[in-house]
Amino acid sequence: TTGANAFSTGFCRGAAQTSVAADGCRQDQNGIEYGVRIGADKRYGNFVIGALVEGSRSEAKDSVTAFSTTPANYVFTRELDYAVSARARAGYTPGGGILFYGTGGASYGRIDNSFRTTNGANAFTGRNGKDWSWGWQAGGGVEAKIAPNMSIGLEYLYNTYTNDDYVVNVSRGTAPATNPFLLAGGQTDMR
């Protein structure tokens, strides 16, 4: 009621260890990604142009936490479950055996959103949500030819997805009417 910031204790990357901000957060789980890809390349002298389609599964998690003065934590977590991607690539092979390339294209991924909190007074709805989202990928790599139609390589690939429609609605529950989440129309949406 005095205009104080209920989240003045702060935020952190990762999932909260306790309801107190000073105890910090666990780091995100950077998991492996595996998949299947099929594509074709065409060589023009020392230049190579190609395209591919890929289906992948990821084990990575991304969390962010807000801490309130009550004290309580509010943890949003998202996981990229599956993705289907289409990319072009272009590269240069100076001696014919090793290819240096850049790649980029569109991706469509299924993102699993979840929410948890130590706030037992308010009611929270929309806690879990699976959603398909568009995104893009870009990266580069190096490939060495080991047989006429086979190569081995190393690739760095950056992925990003537009995933901003997951909302958690906070309503009264057992909290008093003066609860900070209730001051603006009786409810608040957390994103």
Side-chain angles (χ1 to χ4, degrees):
T1 58
T2 62
N5 181 356
F7 292 102
S8 63
T9 53
F11 300 84
C12 68
R13 291 183 175 188
Q17 303 206 79
T18 69
S19 59
V20 179
D23 293 337
C25 291
R26 289 185 301 275
Q27 295 298 314
D28 288 331
Q29 177 184 341
N30 294 320
I32 63 170
E33 181 176 325
Y34 43 92
V36 176
R37 65 171 63 164
I38 187 167
D41 291 326
K42 180 75 175 162
R43 186 171 173 170
Y44 300 95
N46 287 345
F47 295 96
V48 175
I49 297 174
L52 64 90
V53 175
E54 176 179 76
S56 61
R57 170 123 172 92
S58 176
E59 300 293 333
K61 289 184 181 180
D62 177 40
S63 297
V64 64
T65 300
F67 294 96
S68 65
T69 55
T70 41
N73 66 40
Y74 307 85
V75 182
F76 283 86
T77 301
R78 62 184 169 185
E79 301 175 58
L80 176 63
D81 289 336
Y82 305 98
V84 177
S85 308
R87 293 192 309 275
R89 74 179 193 162
Y92 181 74
T93 176
I98 296 179
L99 171 67
F100 300 92
Y101 66 90
T103 185
S107 188
Y108 193 56
R110 179 178 165 163
I111 298 177
D112 183 6
N113 293 290
S114 61
F115 174 78
R116 67 180 172 83
T117 182
T118 57
N119 176 336
N122 292 102
F124 299 86
T125 56
R127 291 185 178 222
N128 295 312
K130 294 182 185 285
D131 191 19
W132 286 91
S133 299
W134 282 101
W136 56 271
Q137 299 176 319
V142 61
E143 240 178 56
K145 197 173 197 181
I146 59 174
N149 291 317
M150 189 179 296
S151 62
I152 188 167
L154 182 64
E155 178 180 76
Y156 171 80
L157 192 61
Y158 176 82
N159 299 275
T160 186
Y161 295 89
T162 303
N163 180 30
D164 57 3
D165 57 353
Y166 178 63
V167 176
V168 174
N169 178 265
V170 187
S171 57
R172 185 167 186 175
T174 60
T178 57
N179 182 278
F181 287 119
L182 308 176
L183 295 180
Q187 68 180 24
T188 299
D189 288 337
M190 296 175 69
R191 185 178 303 264

